[in-house]
Amino acid sequence: MTKQFHSRALPIVAVLIVALAFAAVGCKKHAPKEAPPPPPPPKVEQVTPPPPPPDTTGQAEREMRAAMEADRGRIQSIYFDFDKSDIRADQRGMVTTDADIFRKWTQWQVTVEGNCDERGTAEYNLALGERRANAGKSALVAAGIDAGRVTTISNGKEKPVDPGHTESSWAKNRRDDFKVK
């Protein structure tokens, strides 16, 4: 019986071994399920605020004009030494200040008026005034003002600001005036 038991048990044991082998190798292990992705955030509507109502009072226009006039009043003349057309070192800061103002108001056209004192002939002073006006224009252009916005004119000795006949009066008349429109 032992022999017979062994011969019957052998196929059963073999089947069990094969089943266990399949179970160990063939069973797919299930990974834990991943959490589903979160839902997309809700769409937020971009609400554009309505444009401000038009200024029917004219307040903005009045404020701009007041600022323009204030800046117009800040424009400074520059002064020259006797018989010279180069801009003095002590006058360069004024040119820079004027250029800052002109950059702010790009709609302004600038005229540089070269002036002289009463000494010398009319012809000589017209030529000197022209050189002074051109020096003023060059300084503005070097400071970033578009050359197309700047014109020059020489008044020679025809428009003194001080009619006196002293060195103090003459020093006031040797100048470039910057006019805007």
Side-chain angles (χ1 to χ4, degrees):
M1 170 133 168
T2 0
K3 217 177 190 190
Q4 193 178 18
F5 176 75
H6 282 301
S7 51
R8 270 191 186 159
L10 191 59
I12 293 174
V13 170
V15 168
L16 282 175
I17 291 175
V18 169
L20 285 175
F22 275 119
V25 174
C27 279
K28 184 175 180 183
K29 296 193 181 205
H30 295 287
K33 287 189 175 182
E34 293 181 15
K43 289 187 178 179
V44 177
E45 285 188 40
Q46 294 292 334
V47 178
T48 305
D55 181 14
T56 57
T57 66
Q59 181 65 26
E61 178 73 19
R62 285 191 300 279
E63 288 174 2
M64 184 187 75
R65 289 195 184 282
M68 283 176 115
E69 288 308 309
D71 281 344
R72 187 185 307 263
R74 292 179 43 228
I75 297 170
Q76 304 172 64
S77 296
I78 59 171
Y79 297 91
F80 295 88
D81 289 330
F82 175 72
D83 202 27
K84 301 284 184 188
S85 60
D86 53 320
I87 297 175
R88 300 184 330 214
D90 67 325
Q91 301 296 299
R92 291 186 188 127
M94 285 176 253
V95 173
T96 301
T97 299
D98 289 346
D100 290 343
I101 294 168
F102 301 150
R103 269 193 299 279
K104 182 177 177 183
W105 304 107
T106 58
Q107 68 271 38
W108 281 353
Q109 296 296 310
V110 181
T111 300
V112 183
E113 296 182 356
N115 296 277
C116 303
D117 63 37
E118 65 183 348
R119 297 173 290 177
T121 66
E123 294 79 22
Y124 179 81
N125 282 327
L126 280 172
L128 179 58
E130 183 176 345
R131 289 192 304 274
R132 288 177 176 169
N134 286 331
K137 177 179 179 175
S138 294
L140 290 177
V141 170
I145 303 301
D146 179 11
R149 292 179 52 202
V150 184
T151 57
T152 61
I153 189 168
S154 174
N155 293 327
K157 60 182 177 180
E158 300 305 314
K159 292 189 176 182
V161 291
D162 187 331
H165 305 290
T166 65
E167 181 54 43
S168 174
S169 298
W170 295 330
K172 293 174 189 171
N173 294 329
R174 296 188 303 259
R175 71 191 189 284
D176 273 350
D177 294 325
F178 299 93
K179 306 290 181 167
V180 294
K181 55 180 171 167

